[in-house]
């Protein structure tokens, strides 16, 4: 996201075709289904970190 500010109020979207993004999105969905807000946030943080390093 060069030159753009991330919208931290919304969860990150997985990059199309990326297995890591897909796995983190699944992890987030499972956490949401368990009503585990902490694990859901953790998955969002991990996805943002991954996207910054791999998709920027």
């Amino acid at each position: 996201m060069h030159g753009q500010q991330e919208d931290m109020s919304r969860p990150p979207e997985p990059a199309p075709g990326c297995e890591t993004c897909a796995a983190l999105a699944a992890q987030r969905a499972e956490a949401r289904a368990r009503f585990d807000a902490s694990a859901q946030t953790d998955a969002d943080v991990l996805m943002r970190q991954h996207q910054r390093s791999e998709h920027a």
Side-chain angles (χ1 to χ4, degrees), residues 2-40:
H2 297 285
Q4 287 183 321
Q5 179 124 2
E6 269 185 270
D7 182 357
M8 299 300 283
S9 68
R10 303 186 77 145
E13 291 294 322
C18 177
E19 290 182 24
T20 301
C21 284
L24 289 167
Q27 182 178 328
R28 178 177 60 199
E30 290 168 7
R32 188 177 296 139
R34 294 190 313 270
F35 302 100
D36 187 343
S38 179
Q40 187 175 337

